[in-house]
Amino acid sequence: MSIAVLGAGCFWCVETIFLQLHGVNEIISGYTGGHTKNPTYKDICSGKTGHVEVCKILFDTKIITYEDILKLFWEIHDPTTLNKQGSDIGTQYRSAIFYTSNKQKDIAIKYKEELNANNKFTNAIVTELTKLEEFYVGE
């Protein structure tokens, strides 16, 4: 089992989409990327904790790859808008990939660079790439 941790707006919306993928065994909605210990949803919504709403996706690499997970990630949200997805506005909704290994980091960087080079989006991708540190399960 492998883990992908992604922020693409409201975690409930992201969770619903990724649960449909064959090979995804579990998704845990939560928060990461901030400086406050044990944040709550209310804390996150204040915009003062630095956290992102994310989904921790547990997937079977015999069935689906990390690249497949990222392909859907890039398709389900606008990675060119800073701190905004649809009508959700705030730093907690920023586009983010929290990698768990150098291999994941390299794959994400390469994918992002290819999308920018091929002008997949009108504007440049602003998706944050950060090493996963603390993950807090959402309420």
Side-chain angles (χ1 to χ4, degrees):
M1 206 61 54
S2 286
I3 296 171
V5 180
L6 306 172
C10 170
F11 52 38
W12 292 306
C13 298
V14 174
E15 179 179 326
T16 300
I17 294 168
F18 277 96
L19 277 174
Q20 298 176 42
L21 287 182
H22 181 62
V24 170
N25 293 342
E26 183 180 6
I27 299 180
I28 304 165
S29 293
Y31 321 110
T32 194
H35 54 276
T36 301
K37 296 284 183 193
N38 302 308
T40 64
Y41 184 73
K42 184 178 177 184
D43 295 335
I44 298 299
C45 290
S46 74
K48 296 177 183 176
T49 69
H51 289 86
V52 183
E53 286 192 18
V54 294
C55 285
K56 186 178 197 179
I57 303 164
L58 287 73
F59 62 100
D60 185 341
T61 56
K62 293 178 186 159
I63 299 172
I64 190 169
T65 66
Y66 184 67
E67 290 88 341
D68 294 331
I69 299 285
L70 288 183
K71 181 179 187 300
L72 183 57
F73 167 77
W74 296 115
E75 293 173 357
I76 64 168
H77 78 297
D78 183 352
T80 69
T81 57
L82 187 62
N83 303 328
K84 181 180 185 305
Q85 289 302 315
S87 60
D88 295 326
I89 299 171
T91 56
Q92 72 271 28
Y93 299 117
R94 65 190 184 267
S95 176
I97 298 171
F98 291 89
Y99 56 87
T100 61
S101 68
N102 285 333
K103 182 177 179 183
Q104 280 190 354
K105 177 184 177 184
D106 293 343
I107 290 168
I109 289 171
K110 182 180 177 200
Y111 209 144
K112 180 179 173 181
E113 288 173 351
E114 286 175 4
L115 290 171
N116 274 326
N118 293 328
N119 296 314
K120 170 72 174 164
F121 301 98
T122 305
N123 298 313
I125 294 171
V126 296
T127 302
E128 170 186 331
L129 298 171
T130 306
K131 182 176 185 212
L132 179 66
E133 298 291 338
E134 290 285 333
F135 175 84
Y136 301 99
V137 176
E139 298 88 325

